mmCIF file of all heavy atoms in Angstrom:
data_model
loop_
_atom_site.group_PDB
_atom_site.id
_atom_site.type_symbol
_atom_site.label_atom_id
_atom_site.label_comp_id
_atom_site.label_asym_id
_atom_site.label_seq_id
_atom_site.Cartn_x
_atom_site.Cartn_y
_atom_site.Cartn_z
ATOM 1 N N LYS A 544 9.506 14.679 20.320
ATOM 2 C CA LYS A 544 10.692 14.959 21.159
ATOM 3 C C LYS A 544 10.809 14.020 22.301
ATOM 4 O O LYS A 544 11.909 13.504 22.707
ATOM 5 C CB LYS A 544 10.682 16.402 21.628
ATOM 6 C CG LYS A 544 12.051 16.866 22.305
ATOM 7 C CD LYS A 544 11.940 18.308 22.617
ATOM 8 C CE LYS A 544 13.303 18.860 23.128
ATOM 9 N NZ LYS A 544 13.704 18.171 24.374
ATOM 10 N N ALA A 545 9.704 13.693 22.909
ATOM 11 C CA ALA A 545 9.692 12.801 24.095
ATOM 12 C C ALA A 545 10.150 11.382 23.692
ATOM 13 O O ALA A 545 10.824 10.683 24.480
ATOM 14 C CB ALA A 545 8.229 12.690 24.640
ATOM 15 N N MET A 546 9.871 11.021 22.460
ATOM 16 C CA MET A 546 10.365 9.674 21.945
ATOM 17 C C MET A 546 11.867 9.747 21.814
ATOM 18 O O MET A 546 12.512 8.734 22.170
ATOM 19 C CB MET A 546 9.707 9.387 20.554
ATOM 20 C CG MET A 546 10.167 8.155 19.913
ATOM 21 S SD MET A 546 9.514 8.022 18.242
ATOM 22 C CE MET A 546 7.853 7.733 18.552
ATOM 23 N N ILE A 547 12.435 10.829 21.336
ATOM 24 C CA ILE A 547 13.875 10.918 21.189
ATOM 25 C C ILE A 547 14.590 10.867 22.596
ATOM 26 O O ILE A 547 15.550 10.195 22.751
ATOM 27 C CB ILE A 547 14.282 12.210 20.468
ATOM 28 C CG1 ILE A 547 13.688 12.202 19.015
ATOM 29 C CG2 ILE A 547 15.807 12.315 20.397
ATOM 30 C CD1 ILE A 547 14.068 11.042 18.229
ATOM 31 N N MET A 548 13.947 11.547 23.591
ATOM 32 C CA MET A 548 14.539 11.502 24.934
ATOM 33 C C MET A 548 14.468 10.123 25.548
ATOM 34 O O MET A 548 15.371 9.674 26.240
ATOM 35 C CB MET A 548 13.885 12.525 25.813
ATOM 36 C CG MET A 548 14.008 14.000 25.297
ATOM 37 S SD MET A 548 15.698 14.488 24.849
ATOM 38 C CE MET A 548 16.427 14.394 26.511
ATOM 39 N N ALA A 549 13.345 9.429 25.318
ATOM 40 C CA ALA A 549 13.236 8.051 25.768
ATOM 41 C C ALA A 549 14.251 7.135 25.137
ATOM 42 O O ALA A 549 14.818 6.292 25.804
ATOM 43 C CB ALA A 549 11.812 7.565 25.603
ATOM 44 N N ALA A 550 14.442 7.366 23.861
ATOM 45 C CA ALA A 550 15.482 6.525 23.185
ATOM 46 C C ALA A 550 16.841 6.833 23.716
ATOM 47 O O ALA A 550 17.674 5.892 23.828
ATOM 48 C CB ALA A 550 15.413 6.854 21.665
ATOM 49 N N ARG A 551 17.099 8.107 24.028
ATOM 50 C CA ARG A 551 18.354 8.473 24.590
ATOM 51 C C ARG A 551 18.727 7.721 25.887
ATOM 52 O O ARG A 551 19.827 7.288 26.105
ATOM 53 C CB ARG A 551 18.509 9.941 24.776
ATOM 54 C CG ARG A 551 19.937 10.443 25.136
ATOM 55 C CD ARG A 551 19.981 11.955 25.521
ATOM 56 N NE ARG A 551 21.311 12.339 25.844
ATOM 57 C CZ ARG A 551 21.899 12.075 26.949
ATOM 58 N NH1 ARG A 551 21.338 11.348 27.909
ATOM 59 N NH2 ARG A 551 23.220 12.450 27.128
ATOM 60 N N ARG A 552 17.687 7.576 26.745
ATOM 61 C CA ARG A 552 17.877 6.904 27.981
ATOM 62 C C ARG A 552 18.229 5.402 27.781
ATOM 63 O O ARG A 552 18.926 4.852 28.691
ATOM 64 C CB ARG A 552 16.558 6.988 28.838
ATOM 65 C CG ARG A 552 16.379 8.463 29.385
ATOM 66 C CD ARG A 552 15.290 8.440 30.460
ATOM 67 N NE ARG A 552 13.992 8.230 29.815
ATOM 68 C CZ ARG A 552 13.176 9.196 29.336
ATOM 69 N NH1 ARG A 552 13.576 10.445 29.417
ATOM 70 N NH2 ARG A 552 11.980 8.938 28.857
ATOM 71 N N GLU A 553 17.753 4.819 26.665
ATOM 72 C CA GLU A 553 18.121 3.440 26.457
ATOM 73 C C GLU A 553 19.404 3.223 25.624
ATOM 74 O O GLU A 553 19.950 2.141 25.574
ATOM 75 C CB GLU A 553 16.968 2.783 25.645
ATOM 76 C CG GLU A 553 15.671 2.633 26.460
ATOM 77 C CD GLU A 553 14.649 1.945 25.596
ATOM 78 O OE1 GLU A 553 14.807 1.710 24.419
ATOM 79 O OE2 GLU A 553 13.551 1.649 26.163
ATOM 80 N N ALA A 554 19.867 4.327 25.011
ATOM 81 C CA ALA A 554 20.907 4.150 23.906
ATOM 82 C C ALA A 554 22.214 3.929 24.580
ATOM 83 O O ALA A 554 22.619 4.548 25.604
ATOM 84 C CB ALA A 554 20.923 5.375 23.057
ATOM 85 N N PRO A 555 23.135 3.146 23.902
ATOM 86 C CA PRO A 555 24.573 3.064 24.312
ATOM 87 C C PRO A 555 25.257 4.409 24.012
ATOM 88 O O PRO A 555 24.707 5.256 23.281
ATOM 89 C CB PRO A 555 25.067 1.921 23.389
ATOM 90 C CG PRO A 555 24.182 1.858 22.254
ATOM 91 C CD PRO A 555 22.810 2.264 22.760
ATOM 92 N N LYS A 559 24.146 8.051 21.892
ATOM 93 C CA LYS A 559 23.664 9.236 22.665
ATOM 94 C C LYS A 559 24.138 10.502 21.928
ATOM 95 O O LYS A 559 23.377 11.538 21.881
ATOM 96 C CB LYS A 559 24.230 9.180 24.009
ATOM 97 C CG LYS A 559 23.390 8.324 24.967
ATOM 98 C CD LYS A 559 23.939 8.414 26.387
ATOM 99 C CE LYS A 559 22.979 7.864 27.459
ATOM 100 N NZ LYS A 559 22.860 6.380 27.244
ATOM 101 N N LEU A 562 21.740 11.213 19.107
ATOM 102 C CA LEU A 562 20.475 11.676 19.558
ATOM 103 C C LEU A 562 20.522 13.032 20.206
ATOM 104 O O LEU A 562 19.543 13.847 20.119
ATOM 105 C CB LEU A 562 19.963 10.579 20.563
ATOM 106 C CG LEU A 562 19.614 9.236 19.988
ATOM 107 C CD1 LEU A 562 19.340 8.193 21.025
ATOM 108 C CD2 LEU A 562 18.307 9.401 19.114
ATOM 109 N N ARG A 617 15.657 -2.693 23.176
ATOM 110 C CA ARG A 617 15.443 -1.288 23.488
ATOM 111 C C ARG A 617 14.237 -0.793 22.727
ATOM 112 O O ARG A 617 14.437 -0.135 21.653
ATOM 113 C CB ARG A 617 16.740 -0.437 23.270
ATOM 114 C CG ARG A 617 17.916 -0.874 24.126
ATOM 115 C CD ARG A 617 19.126 -0.251 23.628
ATOM 116 N NE ARG A 617 20.212 -0.373 24.514
ATOM 117 C CZ ARG A 617 21.072 -1.420 24.600
ATOM 118 N NH1 ARG A 617 20.809 -2.470 23.649
ATOM 119 N NH2 ARG A 617 22.082 -1.531 25.425
ATOM 120 N N ALA A 619 12.095 1.734 23.016
ATOM 121 C CA ALA A 619 12.000 3.216 22.700
ATOM 122 C C ALA A 619 13.006 3.603 21.595
ATOM 123 O O ALA A 619 12.712 4.385 20.773
ATOM 124 C CB ALA A 619 12.338 3.996 23.938
ATOM 125 N N LEU A 620 14.169 2.994 21.638
ATOM 126 C CA LEU A 620 15.184 3.326 20.538
ATOM 127 C C LEU A 620 14.638 2.714 19.202
ATOM 128 O O LEU A 620 14.779 3.407 18.183
ATOM 129 C CB LEU A 620 16.545 2.596 20.952
ATOM 130 C CG LEU A 620 17.664 2.859 19.949
ATOM 131 C CD1 LEU A 620 17.905 4.344 19.716
ATOM 132 C CD2 LEU A 620 18.929 2.022 20.431
ATOM 133 N N GLN A 652 8.700 18.530 26.997
ATOM 134 C CA GLN A 652 9.074 17.486 25.939
ATOM 135 C C GLN A 652 7.789 17.171 25.095
ATOM 136 O O GLN A 652 7.695 16.111 24.576
ATOM 137 C CB GLN A 652 9.546 16.182 26.566
ATOM 138 C CG GLN A 652 10.646 16.351 27.605
ATOM 139 C CD GLN A 652 11.907 16.927 27.020
ATOM 140 O OE1 GLN A 652 12.096 16.922 25.834
ATOM 141 N NE2 GLN A 652 12.770 17.475 27.926
#
Side-chain angles (χ1 to χ4, degrees):
K544 188 175 187 297
M546 176 187 292
I547 298 302
M548 299 309 295
R551 187 189 183 283
R552 289 191 289 271
E553 293 182 352
K559 280 186 168 66
L562 292 169
R617 296 170 171 84
L620 180 61
Q652 312 297 341

